[in-house]
Amino acid sequence: MIIICTLLTACTNNQILPVESGVAKTLADYRKANISNLEYDLSFDIPEFKNEEIPGKNTISFDLLSANQDLQIDFRENANKIHNVICNGKSSNYRFESEHLIIPKKELSVGRNTIKIEFTTGNTSLNRNDEFLYTLFVPDRARTAFPCFDQPNLKAEFQLNLSVPSHWKAMGNGKLNTMKEEGKRTFYSFAKTKPLPTYLFSFVAGKFKTVTREHNGKKHTMYHRETDLEKLERNSDEIFSLLFQSLDWLEDYTDVPYPFAKYDIVVIPSFQYGGMEHTGATLYNASKLFLDKNASKNSILYRANLIAHETAHMWFGDLVTMKWFDQVWLKEVFANFLADKITNPSFPEMNHDLKFQMAHFPSSFSIDRTSGANPVNQVLPNLKDAGTVYGAIIYHKSPIVMNMLENITGEEALKSGLQTYMKNYEYGNASWEDLIAILDATTEFDLKEWSKVWVDKAGRPTIECEIGSENDKINYLYLSQKDINENKGNWTQDLNLVLGYKDSFKSVNLTLDEAELEVIIAESRSLDIPDYIIPNGKGDAYGFFRLDEKSKQFLLKNLDGVKDDLHRGIALINLYENLREGFVSGTEFITALENQIAKEQNSLILERMLSYLKSAYWLDLNADERKQIGAQLEESLWFRLNTEKDMSKKSSLYSAFASIAQSPEKLDQLYKVWKEEIAIGGFSLSETKATALACNLAIKMPEKAEELIKTQTERIKNPDRKKKMNFLAPALSADQDVRMAFFESLKNEENRQIERWALDGLRYLNHPLREKEALTYLPQALELLKEIQITGDIFFPYNWLSASYSGHQSKEAGDITRRFLNERPDYPENLKLKILQTSDLVRRK
Ligand SMILES: [Zn+2]
């Protein structure tokens, strides 16, 4: 890293730029300083069959400030895929080196240059399926498909032409200019786009159906492949209404009208992410948009949030883009932060502070409690590693930090600061520091210092609260904060201490701006000693709140005695974090949950409890403990499931029950549910749920595995889902050799192409009931990680590891991890962090 930094400052126009694979920051900085008014004119000739080549043409035009360096154009493919290069009207004497097509400087001229390239399109990021393909170029994958300057701060106008089989449809970022059918081919020509970074350039082609709606005089089209017409109809209106509501809200908040030519959406089956904010044609994951009839409140909320999130990106990310992918969190934080603001009014019955708590804190803690925690702001010397900066910290800690920022500046000042930011940098790039500079002017508070701790530093403080008393009255409160290594902490923040009593609570507000803080309570304000303390009562404070013994005992037994929903939700999360940090045992936690699940009425808290239950049951109880507690737990869940009236709660209860059920009697019940012989209290199984149940039962009832898989595959009507089931069948097999062979097959890149499928398969292989056998996969899964990062999409390395560790709680798994890292002292830091994040539980053994 040091060497690269030296190059960064050393590289001037007089020195020769090194040619390195990937997109080095030095190269990007040089190009940014020299290239402007960039345009791409791209044509792709897409055949019907996915194994046939896609011929492509690209005309790159730009102004060049100086021509004393050879020009490096990014193309992560083989040299033989370049067929012809013409530079400024003459055949180019180019060379190809380390993922770059290099034009000699003598062929370039100061001022306007035009380079025409004929090539075979690289397939890596085209997601080619039998009947459709879609591009996904974030963060630096445009260069895998066509030659370009693949960096977010060289925005360009894109002109796209596609030729596709006549029975296909094609979509791009721009408006459709012309469409011409000639025999078996149709030619689409799209209008030139506004300036876009390469990672937002996109096209989709294939067999799609459309639904169109109008809003404020503009037409919006949804492209989809859903075959269940009832499902489509049930969801379409809601999807469009969420979309329009988000658009209207954002135009108002930013004071900038929708900044691009059109806004369509494409719904992709088994899409890698929830969505991707390509301007004009945003991609969405079908399973997140088309919901089942009895969808849980969480998935309804998730959908609303997802649509708001992607729409917010049209301004935050697309109109104003980060300069480099080290600050990709910037676009994500705004999208999340604004998505919450957009979605909240549509759920007036919901406690939004509680929703915020549930949506962001558990996920952020899942990283920050580990020794692999990363700060919000990260370092990125080469874009080829950009994928590894993504993760829960970007998506979940940054909204928490942004919430703190808004509390400091005030809502209006932040809004007007953001409007200035939009206007100053529209169709260009800006950094977090640019925004802080705008906001710093509006407040007395030292935002730059604050940002150093909350944005540039990794981890979370451990916060402890101690009470001193005299005559049963509190006379002082003592608070301390430490980092993961027990050093004094410097995370300044406001705390709202809830002192809870049997039927009431009192709260104390204070600012924790030192490592140790003692608050003397004056006699006149004398307070009784509470039954429990929640130090983060408003839900905006961040850290590990270690429970004192009295609070711990009270909350484990009487969580329902905390009447305020927000306080109870926070207390639940605090309890879980105390379990993870080793201060509450698995049995204590599960027993407490069993009691509370029977009584909990708030659906957000109930969902969180059930999700904690599913993970703690399998990861914090050993097989013997599961045997002891399991039967009783099954009964409690079964009872609540059958008596629950609310369909969305029923759906979550069902999922938790199906996950933990192990007794022959209950498995038999579930088997009958799957066979449609009985229904659980009027609850009907959708195709997706029936498939998940069949897979779950195949693992728990190996003697019936074959029948379950075969019958379920036959039952599935949707062709995409049928294919998926065929793919997963060997991972569910009762035969260990077949499962081993499935794992082996994942070593072949081709079999990991649909990442969601590969991950599901990996999770089945690593089910807790197969923990011993799965230990043999673990070293190989770790071994594959480097390759996974190169070949997979941005979330794949983390998800791959997370699935690989999903069923493990043994010390052996911890030993395998430690050995792997010890034997590789030079292992890439970013991947090492991912391993430390996902193996936290087993490394604590
Ligand atoms: Zn996003």
Side-chain angles (χ1 to χ4, degrees):
M1 198 185 336
I2 291 160
I3 296 165
I4 289 162
C5 293
T6 323
L7 284 174
L8 183 79
T9 47
C11 190
T12 65
N13 277 351
N14 302 323
Q15 282 168 314
I16 294 172
L17 267 175
V19 182
E20 301 170 58
S21 61
V23 184
K25 183 89 172 25
T26 38
L27 171 65
D29 287 344
Y30 175 80
R31 291 195 302 213
K32 174 67 189 169
N34 281 282
I35 293 171
S36 58
N37 297 323
L38 180 61
E39 285 178 43
Y40 296 104
D41 189 335
L42 281 153
S43 303
F44 298 97
D45 202 355
I46 301 169
E48 171 149 21
F49 301 104
K50 68 176 182 186
N51 43 11
E52 288 176 7
E53 291 190 339
I54 301 181
K57 284 183 198 160
N58 189 7
T59 303
I60 312 176
S61 318
F62 53 92
D63 292 335
L64 198 59
L65 193 65
S66 108
N68 53 12
Q69 288 274 352
D70 292 349
L71 183 68
Q72 297 185 32
I73 304 174
D74 311 325
F75 191 45
R76 205 184 97 190
E77 262 299 345
N78 291 327
N80 63 10
K81 292 217 167 168
I82 302 279
H83 306 308
N84 190 23
V85 181
I86 294 177
C87 180
N88 293 324
K90 289 183 190 141
S91 183
S92 172
N93 194 18
Y94 72 92
R95 66 183 204 277
F96 196 89
E97 200 182 315
S98 303
E99 306 175 351
H100 292 96
L101 188 172
I102 301 165
I103 308 277
K105 58 186 175 191
K106 61 171 193 260
E107 295 178 12
L108 302 164
S109 44
V110 171
R112 202 70 182 157
N113 287 265
T114 302
I115 300 170
K116 288 186 179 180
I117 305 167
E118 282 174 35
F119 58 96
T120 298
T121 313
N123 281 324
T124 308
S125 302
L126 298 187
N127 299 282
R128 295 182 76 174
N129 288 274
D130 283 336
E131 296 188 333
F132 63 99
L133 64 79
Y134 58 94
T135 64
L136 192 54
F137 293 152
V138 67
D140 66 327
R141 300 290 164 91
R143 67 193 178 97
T144 68
F146 61 93
C148 59
F149 303 115
D150 206 358
Q151 58 188 80
N153 60 352
L154 265 184
K155 289 193 173 184
E157 295 175 343
F158 287 84
Q159 164 99 54
L160 172 67
N161 302 293
L162 291 177
S163 130
V164 302
S166 286
H167 54 291
W168 282 24
K169 289 189 168 69
M171 310 120 238
N173 305 101
K175 261 191 177 165
L176 183 63
N177 256 354
T178 58
M179 189 179 107
K180 207 168 64 190
E181 205 175 315
E182 276 177 23
K184 288 184 171 169
R185 309 286 299 167
T186 304
F187 297 85
Y188 288 80
S189 176
F190 297 92
K192 195 187 273 183
T193 65
K194 294 273 190 189
L196 290 182
T198 36
Y199 81 90
L200 288 174
F201 167 70
S202 163
F203 58 86
V204 181
K207 285 190 193 165
F208 283 89
K209 295 215 163 55
T210 59
V211 180
T212 299
R213 294 277 193 284
E214 239 187 73
H215 181 63
N216 294 341
K218 282 186 183 150
K219 248 168 82 175
H220 299 265
T221 302
M222 170 169 75
Y223 296 82
H224 68 89
R225 289 175 53 79
E226 184 51 62
T227 45
D228 180 343
L229 290 182
E230 199 248 300
K231 193 175 198 177
L232 177 70
E233 202 148 300
R234 184 158 25 83
N235 285 289
S236 292
D237 282 345
E238 188 57 22
I239 293 169
F240 278 107
S241 119
L242 289 166
L243 196 65
F244 300 152
Q245 185 200 331
S246 298
L247 278 171
D248 293 347
W249 191 95
L250 282 152
E251 291 192 335
D252 180 62
Y253 186 88
T254 58
D255 200 28
V256 176
Y258 178 71
F260 300 99
K262 60 145 188 163
Y263 191 29
D264 293 336
I265 65 173
V266 189
V267 188
I268 307 270
S270 286
F271 186 57
Q272 290 92 324
Y273 320 145
M276 179 61 212
E277 69 269 19
H278 302 138
T279 48
T282 295
L283 305 188
Y284 282 99
N285 183 327
S287 71
K288 306 289 184 207
L289 247 51
F290 298 140
L291 302 183
D292 284 340
K293 226 181 262 167
N294 304 320
S296 69
K297 195 153 239 163
N298 255 2
S299 41
I300 294 171
L301 189 61
Y302 179 90
R303 174 174 68 184
N305 243 302
L306 174 66
I307 291 177
H309 175 110
E310 301 306 337
T311 310
H313 272 316
M314 299 302 127
W315 286 262
F316 296 91
D318 294 10
L319 178 63
V320 180
T321 308
M322 68 279 167
K323 292 176 173 168
W324 190 243
F325 268 91
D326 55 351
Q327 286 197 345
V328 66
W329 65 274
L330 199 53
K331 74 182 178 70
E332 295 311 325
V333 74
F334 285 129
N336 266 346
F337 179 70
L338 297 174
D340 282 343
K341 286 187 187 288
I342 295 167
T343 313
N344 291 355
S346 312
F347 295 82
E349 75 292 354
M350 195 165 277
N351 181 332
H352 293 296
D353 290 337
L354 180 63
K355 188 192 112 188
F356 186 80
Q357 185 72 24
M358 294 300 169
H360 301 303
F361 285 74
S363 299
S364 185
F365 289 158
S366 74
I367 303 298
D368 260 354
R369 78 167 83 94
T370 76
S371 53
N374 59 278
V376 172
N377 248 349
Q378 296 168 75
V379 180
L380 182 66
N382 192 311
L383 270 197
K384 70 177 170 19
D385 300 319
T388 58
V389 306
Y390 285 84
I393 294 299
I394 280 187
Y395 284 97
H396 298 291
K397 187 174 186 177
S398 42
I400 296 169
V401 171
M402 191 56 68
N403 192 39
M404 287 181 185
L405 178 66
E406 191 180 41
N407 284 340
I408 296 168
T409 61
E411 233 174 286
E412 276 310 307
L414 181 63
K415 179 175 165 177
S416 86
L418 286 173
Q419 289 181 352
T420 309
Y421 178 76
M422 285 286 119
K423 292 203 170 75
N424 289 359
Y425 299 104
E426 63 175 6
Y427 300 109
N429 302 77
S431 66
W432 166 247
E433 290 72 23
D434 293 329
L435 176 64
I436 285 293
I438 292 173
L439 293 175
D440 207 25
T442 69
T443 166
E444 300 275 284
F445 194 89
D446 189 347
L447 283 179
K448 284 176 186 157
E449 267 309 303
W450 170 86
S451 171
K452 268 187 209 160
V453 177
W454 286 99
V455 177
D456 296 337
K457 189 168 147 169
R460 62 177 182 180
T462 293
I463 295 172
E464 285 186 72
C465 178
E466 205 184 292
I467 281 179
S469 63
E470 211 182 315
N471 305 326
D472 287 338
K473 300 279 180 195
I474 302 177
N475 61 354
Y476 72 88
L477 294 164
Y478 175 79
L479 286 119
S480 65
Q481 54 162 327
K482 287 183 194 136
D483 69 10
I484 196 168
N485 301 317
E486 301 278 307
N487 298 321
K488 289 180 173 182
N490 61 348
W491 285 267
T492 292
Q493 59 179 327
D494 291 338
L495 294 182
N496 172 260
L497 250 58
V498 171
L499 309 175
Y501 304 91
K502 197 165 169 288
D503 299 307
S504 64
F505 69 87
K506 294 208 165 70
S507 56
V508 179
N509 288 318
L510 47 89
T511 301
L512 184 60
D513 52 5
E514 290 168 65
E516 285 158 8
L517 186 72
E518 197 175 331
V519 186
I520 306 292
I521 309 276
E523 193 105 9
S524 56
R525 290 180 57 207
S526 63
L527 296 163
D528 292 332
I529 296 172
D531 293 320
Y532 62 90
I533 309 169
I534 300 173
N536 49 336
K538 269 199 185 132
D540 51 2
Y542 189 81
F544 167 52
F545 298 96
R546 188 176 161 185
L547 291 168
D548 60 280
E549 193 56 28
K550 191 178 179 193
S551 298
K552 178 181 124 179
Q553 292 306 337
F554 181 90
L555 295 172
L556 281 171
K557 293 194 180 63
N558 313 290
L559 191 57
D560 59 312
V562 182
K563 297 298 174 206
D564 180 271
D565 285 350
L566 178 61
H567 293 167
R568 194 168 64 261
I570 293 170
L572 172 67
I573 295 174
N574 288 353
L575 271 176
Y576 182 75
E577 291 304 315
N578 276 267
L579 164 76
R580 284 278 149 270
E581 295 281 3
F583 301 109
V584 168
S585 77
T587 322
E588 283 176 322
F589 186 72
I590 296 283
T591 311
L593 281 190
E594 188 198 329
N595 274 325
Q596 297 304 324
I597 285 168
K599 302 170 197 160
E600 186 56 62
Q601 290 309 317
N602 182 294
S603 56
L604 286 170
I605 302 178
L606 182 65
E607 295 234 8
R608 176 52 51 194
M609 279 181 179
L610 293 168
S611 138
Y612 281 162
L613 178 77
K614 284 191 271 185
S615 81
Y617 179 80
W618 289 111
L619 297 175
D620 296 286
L621 299 183
N622 59 36
D624 286 341
E625 290 168 330
R626 285 202 286 268
K627 226 173 242 154
Q628 279 165 21
I629 305 181
Q632 174 70 33
L633 181 61
E634 279 181 355
E635 287 303 333
S636 310
L637 278 178
W638 180 251
F639 180 78
R640 173 95 202 249
L641 169 58
N642 278 286
T643 48
E644 179 58 58
K645 299 273 184 304
D646 180 298
M647 285 320 259
S648 126
K649 284 182 192 157
K650 209 189 247 306
S651 172
S652 315
L653 284 157
Y654 159 77
S655 138
F657 174 78
S659 160
I660 64 136
Q662 263 187 295
S663 71
E665 182 207 334
K666 289 292 182 287
L667 288 179
D668 191 55
Q669 295 275 348
L670 282 171
Y671 178 68
K672 285 185 176 138
V673 169
W674 173 75
K675 283 198 121 179
E676 294 172 357
E677 288 172 7
I678 58 166
I680 305 174
F683 179 75
S684 67
L685 285 189
S686 63
E687 186 179 283
T688 318
K689 276 209 168 69
T691 308
L693 180 57
C695 297
N696 174 8
L697 291 178
I699 294 169
K700 292 176 181 171
M701 306 171 97
E703 71 286 356
K704 291 198 163 67
E706 204 171 318
E707 178 209 346
L708 284 156
I709 298 162
K710 188 166 167 281
T711 312
Q712 189 58 34
T713 311
E714 285 162 9
R715 274 193 197 168
I716 297 174
K717 292 193 190 74
N718 178 294
D720 296 324
R721 291 197 280 268
K722 202 189 263 295
K723 258 191 215 156
K724 177 178 178 183
M725 191 65 187
N726 279 322
F727 175 87
L728 290 174
L732 294 161
S733 168
D735 183 342
Q736 187 172 343
D737 292 338
V738 176
R739 297 200 293 269
M740 288 280 183
F742 178 83
F743 182 80
E744 282 299 316
S745 78
L746 291 181
K747 292 181 180 171
N748 182 348
E749 185 196 343
E750 216 171 286
N751 295 319
R752 304 189 302 259
Q753 253 179 8
I754 303 183
E755 295 179 354
R756 289 203 173 239
W757 295 8
L759 293 172
D760 280 356
L762 201 54
R763 262 182 222 109
Y764 294 141
L765 293 182
N766 285 286
H767 190 279
L769 291 174
R770 296 169 168 175
E771 189 187 359
K772 275 240 143 52
E773 164 193 332
L775 282 173
T776 58
Y777 308 133
L778 196 54
Q780 304 174 67
L782 288 167
E783 195 68 56
L784 271 171
L785 187 62
K786 273 190 187 173
E787 188 192 318
I788 295 276
Q789 192 217 335
I790 295 166
T791 55
D793 274 308
I794 50 178
F795 299 112
F796 201 38
Y798 179 86
N799 289 340
W800 171 266
L801 287 168
S802 171
S804 297
Y805 281 103
S806 61
H808 292 279
Q809 55 160 284
S810 68
K811 183 173 174 300
E812 286 97 311
D815 290 339
I816 289 172
T817 313
R818 278 182 285 268
R819 204 173 313 130
F820 180 86
L821 290 173
N822 287 341
E823 285 168 3
R824 293 165 183 76
D826 297 327
Y827 201 69
E829 183 65 17
N830 47 15
L831 291 181
K832 183 180 160 189
L833 289 183
K834 302 272 178 225
I835 295 176
L836 293 176
Q837 290 166 7
T838 46
S839 64
D840 189 61
L841 189 117
V842 292
R843 281 184 307 103
R844 287 176 190 251
K845 303 269 170 172

